[in-house]
Amino acid sequence: MLKRLITGLIFIIAVLILTAIMLDRWIGWKTSPYIFDDLRQLPERKVGIVLGTSKYYKGGRYNQYYFYRIQGAVNAYNSGKVKYLLLSGDNSQQSYNEPLTMKTDLIKAGVPASRIVMDFAGFRTLDSIVRTQKVFNTDDFTIITQRFHCERAVFIAMYSGIEAQCYAVPSPKNMMMIRFREVLARLGALTDLYILKREPRYLGKPESIPTQHSVPTGIQGYPAVSPEELQELERKPHKK
């Protein structure tokens, strides 16, 4: 009796593992036509969304995934493949702000502040993708992240009726554990989409890309000045 139970348990575990692998590969196959490793072959889009990750690991070591995403975003912008960069990430803690960190590094790399928009409510990949459509009114955009992440992000977009594509930036060499976690993340995404029917945690009021600003009299005009400069000017009292 015990032997049968053990055999049955092993069989069930084997079926679950095989199912997870098959679903993982199905997502990869389904999204493959919309993922580009070569920047030269990437079709042009107005908006490129950079999916956030931490700049440093807990031990203080630099996160190569972050580096490659930032460099990929810079390359996509400089090559004219995207005109604006939407930085979507987690800002759930006062001391942790993925969009602001990315913006700082992109500006240092030469991307104008007027071409950068931040999404502080990109808590999950699903939130980032759906918010890009529903909040930022963008239905045809380029995702910038690693290939394994591209596949899940594009799959979420396809399910949501969004015509997204992805620029797959390089990945660090040692990513076996990350790849294992990605299989679990895809199972979670399938559960969210098909069973739980989850929506983003927070939507908020719609915003446009680029963000619309009123330009004070006598100023050269947006985007010759950054949104931050305009906001500062608008706070100052106007002379009558």
Side-chain angles (χ1 to χ4, degrees), residues 54-222:
S54 58
K55 185 174 181 177
Y56 299 100
Y57 293 113
K58 288 184 179 180
R61 187 164 52 92
Y62 192 71
N63 183 358
Q64 290 294 318
Y65 292 95
Y66 175 90
F67 170 78
Y68 285 126
R69 291 183 198 183
I70 293 299
Q71 189 58 55
V74 172
N75 293 342
Y77 175 79
N78 287 339
S79 64
K81 296 296 183 178
V82 297
K83 294 179 174 60
Y84 296 90
L85 291 171
L86 174 61
L87 314 181
S88 182
D90 192 352
N91 182 37
S92 56
Q93 300 177 16
Q94 188 173 358
S95 60
Y96 186 74
N97 192 323
E98 289 177 352
L100 186 59
T101 301
M102 289 192 287
K103 179 179 180 179
T104 300
D105 287 336
L106 286 169
I107 290 174
K108 287 180 180 178
V111 179
S114 58
R115 296 288 172 163
I116 297 174
V117 180
M118 292 187 289
D119 176 14
F120 296 106
F123 303 113
R124 302 170 301 164
T125 303
L126 185 148
D127 295 60
S128 296
I129 299 303
V130 176
R131 279 176 55 81
T132 301
Q133 180 195 48
K134 293 188 176 181
V135 175
F136 295 95
N137 195 28
T138 303
D139 197 46
D140 186 5
F141 51 87
T142 297
I143 304 163
I144 301 174
T145 187
Q146 277 74 26
R147 172 169 275 273
F148 70 89
H149 199 189
C150 275
E151 293 175 353
R152 175 158 47 98
V154 171
F155 185 83
I156 292 170
M158 293 173 67
Y159 176 88
S160 304
I162 301 169
E163 297 181 6
Q165 61 182 15
C166 193
Y167 173 38
V169 302
S171 299
K173 293 182 179 179
N174 185 15
M175 55 173 294
M176 184 171 65
M177 183 57 67
I178 294 293
R179 193 62 189 84
F180 172 74
R181 288 170 53 190
E182 178 61 22
V183 173
L184 300 179
R186 294 183 186 193
L187 292 176
L190 289 169
T191 302
D192 286 343
L193 295 173
Y194 289 97
I195 299 176
L196 301 178
K197 306 291 184 181
R198 281 187 174 169
E199 293 287 335
R201 296 185 200 174
Y202 177 76
L203 284 175
K205 63 179 182 179
E207 300 180 37
S208 60
I209 297 178
T211 305
Q212 299 299 315
H213 293 270
S214 60
V215 181
T217 304
I219 301 300
Q220 185 176 354
Y222 178 83

